[in-house]
């Protein structure tokens, strides 16, 4: 069975990781403050504004702010479509990858992006399938640009070196994309801290992440799942 994680890492490195490393280095020690309360209020009480920012994200506006990308990404957790279970479309997309069925992968990835435009798995597979089946360069680069922006945003709101400065993600699968950006290929072990709701991943240090533990805050995902 093909390993999509390894494939993602190999392609992603060639595409943009050097630029991403530089961006992360330029913001090191100056993490942005994440205020989920404001994001929730905006999504629920300023729906037109939220939709406008989503549209800006989708158009690949080069001047989009990290705060706006954060609103689009974290805002998904306050929508009725937020899914903490198995998304049937994501399951199907991975199945099509294993089968080398790139037209169906492309179709399914875009179906996911209609209700979750920041889904990192869908953005990557949309890029991979669009390029493979011969879509215009402008289209497939658009997917990977969005992917890069979301990963970069997550790394600007935390450094992953403690529970207090953890990388905050709204779905466990997003963890591997951040690890790729840190050039971390192998996990030694991982465990969930029930007190902080952080997944603590023990890794071999890399040039991009010189620590042995990477902290991912999964509290939004876990609290939402517990309510079901």
């Amino acid at each position: 069975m093909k390993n999509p994680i390894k494939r993602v890492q190999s392609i992603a490195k060639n595409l943009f990781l050097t630029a991403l490393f530089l961006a992360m280095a330029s913001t090191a020690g100056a993490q942005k403050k994440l205020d989920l309360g404001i994001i929730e209020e905006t999504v629920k009480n300023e729906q037109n504004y939220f939709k406008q920012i989503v549209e800006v994200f989708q158009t690949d506006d080069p001047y989009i702010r990290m705060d706006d990308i954060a609103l689009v990404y974290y805002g998904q957790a306050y929508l009725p479509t937020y899914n903490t279970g198995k998304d049937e479309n994501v399951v199907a997309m991975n199945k099509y990858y294993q089968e080398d069925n790139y037209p169906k992968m492309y179709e399914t990835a875009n179906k996911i992006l209609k209700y979750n435009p920041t889904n990192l798995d869908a953005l990557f597979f949309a890029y991979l399938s669009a390029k493979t089946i011969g879509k215009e360069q402008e289209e497939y680069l658009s997917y990977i640009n969005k992917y890069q922006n979301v990963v970069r945003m997550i790394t600007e709101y935390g450094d992953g070196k403690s529970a207090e400065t953890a990388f905050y993600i709204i779905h466990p699968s997003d963890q591997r994309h951040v690890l790729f950006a840190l050039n971390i290929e192998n996990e030694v072990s991982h465990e969930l801290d029930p007190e902080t709701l952080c997944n603590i991943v023990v890794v071999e240090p890399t040039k991009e992440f010189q620590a042995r533990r990477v902290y991912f805050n999964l509290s939004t995902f876990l609290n939402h799942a517990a309510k079901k």
Side-chain angles (χ1 to χ4, degrees), residues 92-204:
M93 182 174 63
N94 281 282
K95 174 177 175 288
Y96 295 137
Y97 172 80
Q98 296 297 334
E99 297 171 349
D100 289 326
N101 190 337
Y102 291 96
K104 293 296 289 185
M105 187 198 309
Y106 173 82
E107 177 185 328
T108 308
N110 276 282
K111 186 183 297 184
I112 295 167
L113 293 174
K114 287 181 178 179
Y115 58 82
N116 184 354
T118 58
N119 184 295
L120 290 174
D121 286 340
L123 284 170
F124 179 78
F125 282 117
Y127 157 78
L128 178 61
S129 57
K131 187 174 183 181
T132 302
I133 65 179
K135 294 294 183 178
E136 294 291 331
Q137 183 182 59
E138 182 180 2
E139 179 181 350
Y140 63 73
L141 290 183
S142 173
Y143 297 126
I144 210 66
N145 178 64
K146 293 181 181 69
Y147 176 96
Q148 176 183 356
N149 279 342
V150 173
V151 174
R152 177 182 172 185
M153 179 278 298
I154 293 171
T155 65
E156 288 197 13
Y157 280 90
D159 62 14
K161 294 181 179 179
S162 70
E164 292 74 24
T165 61
F167 294 128
Y168 207 111
I169 55 177
I170 61 172
H171 198 282
S173 65
D174 295 341
Q175 174 178 296
R176 67 172 178 259
H177 297 285
V178 176
L179 291 175
F180 297 154
L182 300 173
N183 204 23
I184 295 172
E185 299 185 19
N186 300 307
E187 300 178 18
V188 177
S189 64
H190 63 87
E191 64 175 338
L192 180 67
D193 180 355
E195 186 173 334
T196 64
L197 297 184
C198 283
N199 193 31
I200 306 172
V201 185
V202 178
V203 301
E204 292 296 333

Side-chain angles (χ1 to χ4, degrees), residues 57-76:
F57 173 79
Q58 291 174 320
T59 61
D60 297 308
D61 187 327
Y63 300 106
I64 191 170
R65 303 177 305 161
M66 285 294 114
D67 289 347
D68 292 334
I69 297 172
L71 174 62
V72 179
Y73 173 78
Y74 296 110
Q76 303 304 310

